[in-house]
Amino acid sequence: MDNQKPTMTRGQYRKTHRPFYKKAPFIITLAVILIAIIGGILYWRAGNTHKNYAQRDPNKVENVSSSKSTKKKSSKTKSAKSQQVAKEDSKAKSDDKKSDTKTYSNTGSYNNLDYKSDDFEFKIKNDVKLVKDSTGASALLIKYTYTNKTKDNQIPQKVQSENMILKQNDQVLIPTGGDGDYAGMVNSSNLTEVKPGDSFDGALLVKVNDDSTDVNMYFKNIQTHQDLSTMQPFKLS
């Protein structure tokens, strides 16, 4: 009996031959792995939480707000500068207009066939007569001597038409084309440029409505462009 091996109980046999996944080393290893995985997940979540918190950091918000405030201040500064520049430009334009406004000592005066201003002088000659225009209609020929007092070249007919008006029965008389000996003088008055300080012998020709009614010549104030209180009548009868 002493030489026989001890007989194992059923419980001891099961314990010796149990599957590997029921053995203590495997269970311990699995537990360690699970703990490592869980620890990794918790660490990852903690990292994300910290990152989100950092993004919502009040200091960071204050910095952004400060940046926006700076931009607004910068925008306001630019706006103020733009307004200042606009004011300066407006003032400069106003000063230019003031400097461009000419001061006249004589804005227009007429006496004894002599119409004067700071810009010109028209001396009307006594040689005023009825003639025929290029179409054969009755026309009034008025000769004059024009003197240019400006600093630029001037065309006598243009100056005359802007500052002298002829009317018959309150109707403005229209310039017409010349014919015969005086045609050259009328055309020259319409085309010739007179230099500053020079004088020119010219003539104007207007068609009349009838041969017996007086024609009145009116003169302008060169600053206001209003009629002067005087006029020159031409008797046709």
Side-chain angles (χ1 to χ4, degrees), residues 26-223:
F26 177 81
I27 294 172
I28 294 171
T29 303
L30 183 61
V32 171
I33 293 173
L34 289 174
I35 292 171
I37 292 173
I38 293 171
I41 292 173
L42 293 175
Y43 181 81
W44 176 77
R45 286 185 177 179
N48 281 345
T49 302
H50 178 73
K51 183 178 180 181
N52 292 335
Y53 178 80
Q55 289 178 347
R56 295 193 297 270
D57 188 359
N59 292 330
K60 219 167 196 181
V61 173
E62 288 178 3
N63 290 337
V64 172
S65 176
S66 176
S67 176
K68 289 183 178 179
S69 177
T70 302
K71 288 182 179 179
K72 287 182 179 179
K73 288 181 180 179
S74 177
S75 177
K76 288 182 180 179
T77 303
K78 288 182 180 179
S79 177
K81 287 183 179 179
S82 298
Q83 291 178 359
Q84 182 65 26
V85 171
K87 287 180 180 180
E88 289 177 357
D89 289 344
S90 177
K91 184 179 179 181
K93 288 181 180 178
S94 177
D95 292 340
D96 289 341
K97 286 183 179 180
K98 288 180 181 179
S99 62
D100 290 341
T101 302
K102 186 175 179 179
T103 302
Y104 295 95
S105 59
N106 182 5
T107 59
S109 59
Y110 179 77
N111 182 43
N112 193 24
L113 300 178
D114 193 2
Y115 175 34
K116 292 181 180 180
S117 76
D118 286 353
D119 288 347
F120 56 75
E121 181 177 7
F122 283 93
K123 287 187 177 181
I124 301 172
K125 298 181 180 181
N126 286 322
D127 190 10
V128 177
K129 56 186 178 182
L130 281 171
V131 296
K132 299 294 181 181
D133 66 5
S134 57
T135 65
S138 295
L140 183 65
L141 176 69
I142 302 174
K143 295 180 181 180
Y144 60 77
T145 298
Y146 163 77
T147 300
N148 181 10
K149 294 183 179 180
T150 69
K151 296 179 180 179
D152 302 309
N153 292 353
Q154 301 290 341
I155 297 176
Q157 182 276 335
K158 184 177 180 182
V159 178
Q160 171 264 310
S161 64
E162 291 176 351
N163 297 283
M164 300 160 66
I165 296 177
L166 290 159
K167 292 183 179 180
Q168 188 179 50
N169 294 326
D170 291 329
Q171 291 184 346
V172 177
L173 300 180
I174 306 302
T176 185
D179 189 21
D181 297 338
Y182 54 85
M185 180 177 288
V186 172
N187 292 336
S188 181
S189 302
N190 296 339
L191 300 174
T192 302
E193 288 191 354
V194 180
K195 295 179 180 180
D198 288 355
S199 296
F200 174 83
D201 290 330
L204 64 98
L205 186 68
V206 292
K207 186 180 293 186
V208 296
N209 300 320
D210 63 70
D211 298 347
S212 58
T213 304
D214 292 351
V215 173
N216 294 323
M217 177 180 281
Y218 299 86
F219 309 94
K220 298 283 185 182
N221 179 312
I222 63 174
Q223 188 170 19

